[in-house]
Structure formats: structure tokens, C-alpha cells
Amino acid sequence: MDSALKDPHNGSAEAGSPANGTTRPPSTPEGIALAYGSLLLMALLPIFFGALRSVRCTRGKIFSQEYINLLLSMYFFVLGILALSHTISPFMNKVFPASFPSRQYQLLFTQGSGENKEGGRGSPAPGSGLTRPLCPEIINYEFDTKDLVCLGLSSIVGVWYLLRKHWIANNLFGLAFSLNGVELLHLNNVSTGCILLGGLFIYDVFWVFGTNVMVTVARSFEAPIKLVFPQDLLEKGLEADNFAMLGLGDIVIPGIFIALLLRFDISLKKNTHTYFYTSFAAYIFGLGLTIFIMHIFKHAQPALLYLVPACIGFPVLVALAKGEVTEMFSYESSAEILPHTPRLTHFPTVSGSPASLAASMQQKLAGPRRRRPQNPSAIYEESNPKDPAVVTESKEGTEASASKGLEKKEK
């Protein structure tokens, strides 16, 4: 608000100076009064009439809770299948036998008309060595038969969740979301992680203790945004319905900070994971303390209230004891490439289909290497095309050497 409302006198003084090559006329007192009066009126109208309408409002709903849950279910149905497939793919690759047939597939979406696509009008013939115009790639995803099997298994879990909303299917999707979040979301340094966790610490405490919004959302919306486990499992079996729940944010947010400390351990090159194990033990301690306090006071607890001090405090204390506080807070994760995370650092600009490029390269390799006959007079003629005297002398010398060669052959 302070940046939007400026002093009118300062604005009129700066208006006389050229800005971006244009000059603005100075503001008159009447114009300034009209502008600020209009802003004040427009600010008061929604407050006044909105307050009056809030008294008579019946708080009708545009969409009922059932339709919102259905929309969220479809959304998380698609995301859950993809996340679960990506999660189980490394494990399934070890299960498949070596004789399992594996075929490669590619899903490619490009931007452009039919003339610019491979095989369309104006495309060069395969093997000609010519190139076609580059088409911007929107989606370029490569997968194989094993990935299709993982996708099929994940789809079965997705249909199960969509039809039954069973807590096991919910937890499978929730675990997949959490694992992918910790894997793919990277913090750059410890300072950024401390700021993030500190801000969410205040956020979580306010929305749990200050209002009932967080608890209401967690209990009302049927979406895999939390992990649940029945407390009456021993009595009712798999059909139990008295659930204890843990939000995915209480897993992913501390998890990406713990993953950062693991990368910091690897950067030290000491073959120890001290900070990772310390922060991992701190997370177990903080989560256990959350459950203990929740059962003592019989009230929902913000898990980050106990997780954030534990996950930050314990590793910092270890760094103080080892004298590595400076190294910890100066570490930059983005500046390092770990051995197990291959990254593409160069994007080649090659045009043409793979078949045409391969055919042209094979033709170049298979063909014999021919050297152009170099005529000294011709080279000299090309290098000095504007000197007729030199060209004449070179021609006469060439004719003389040729006649001498003929005389020797006759003898």
C-alpha cells in the first residue's frame, strides 16, 4: 500500500523530468483530490455493502462438499497414478526377469503444422542428408514395456481409491506423493531451509491453534493429502473407521531439509552421514513428541511445532561440536552434481529425423575419401585472379614443361 500511494507533490515534481523519453504534465490540486477521493470511495464501497450483505447472507454454497470431493478425487486420481508408477518403477525393474521383453516407446508432441513435421509436405527424403525446420517440442517422454506394467498396476490402485476411498489406497498415493516430493524438491542451502521451516512453523501453529480451518480441511476433504491409519484396526480389521492422521506437509517439508543435509554429508567426502542420521533421529523424536502431547491434551497438534526445532536444532548442535557451522551454512547444493544424479548439461541443436541423420552419416563414412587434384597454376590463378602477367607466365611454364615431357617420350 505504501508503494502504491505516493506523495502527490513528489509525483508532480518528478513528472516534469523526462521518464522513458516522455514528459507528464504537473498534477493540479483538483486532480489530486479527485484521484484520492475516488480511491477512497472505491475502497469504502465493497467494505460497507459487503458488511451489510454479510448480515443477511444465508451462506449458501455454490458447490456442495460432494462435488468438491469428486473434483479433488479425479485430480488426485491422475496425479496419484503417475506418482505411484514413478515410485515403484525402480523396484519393479529388479523384479522383472532378464528375459522379459522390453520395447522402447516415445510420446512426442511438437508444435507446428503438417508441413513442418517429419513425413509431411516439404520434408526431405530419408538419406538425403538435408535437414527440416525445427519444431518446438512440448512433450517428449520415453518409456518402455516395464514402465507400462507399472502404470497398469498403479491404475488398478487408482480405480480402487476412486471407487472405495479405502485408507490403504489413500496411503499408497500419499506415500508416493511424499517420496516424489522429497526426491524432486531441492533446497539450495541451509539458510534457505531454516527460513522455510521457520515460516511454516508460524503458519502451522496459527492455523491449528488460532482457528479450526486446518483440522476441518483435513477431516472434510477426501483426498490423499494426508496419511491415515485406523486406531480400531484390531477390533474391526480393514474396515475400521476411527483414523489417526498426519498431513503430507509434515513429511515433505522436514524431508527436503533432511535430504539437503544428506547432500551436505556427501559434499564433505568423509564417508559418514552424521548430519543425515542426526536430523533423521531428530525427526523421529519430534514426531514422537507430537503424538505424546496430542494424547496428553486430547487436541490436534501442529506437528511442525515440534519437528522444526528438532530438525534444525540437533544438526546445528552437532555442527557446533564438530566446528563445521561455517561449512554447513556456506554449502550450496546447486553447485554440485552428485554421482547418482545424471544431468543433461548440453542441449545439441540437431535438425532432421534420426533416420535421415543416421543414413547421411553412414554414407559419409562408407564413401571413399577422394582428394581433389591440386594444380599449382590453378591455385595460384585463384589466389591472384587480377594479375594477368603472372597468369600468362604460369600458363607458358606449364606448356613448356608439357612439351619437354612429350620430347622425352618420343626419344
Side-chain angles (χ1 to χ4, degrees), residues 196-207:
L196 175 66
L197 266 66
L200 292 175
F201 169 86
I202 300 173
Y203 169 88
D204 202 22
V205 170
F206 171 78
W207 286 105

Side-chain angles (χ1 to χ4, degrees), residues 49-66:
F49 290 104
L52 292 178
R53 293 181 61 174
S54 69
V55 177
R56 301 188 299 268
C57 181
T58 58
R59 301 184 65 179
K61 297 180 181 179
I62 300 178
F63 297 105
S64 64
Q65 181 178 337
E66 290 76 13

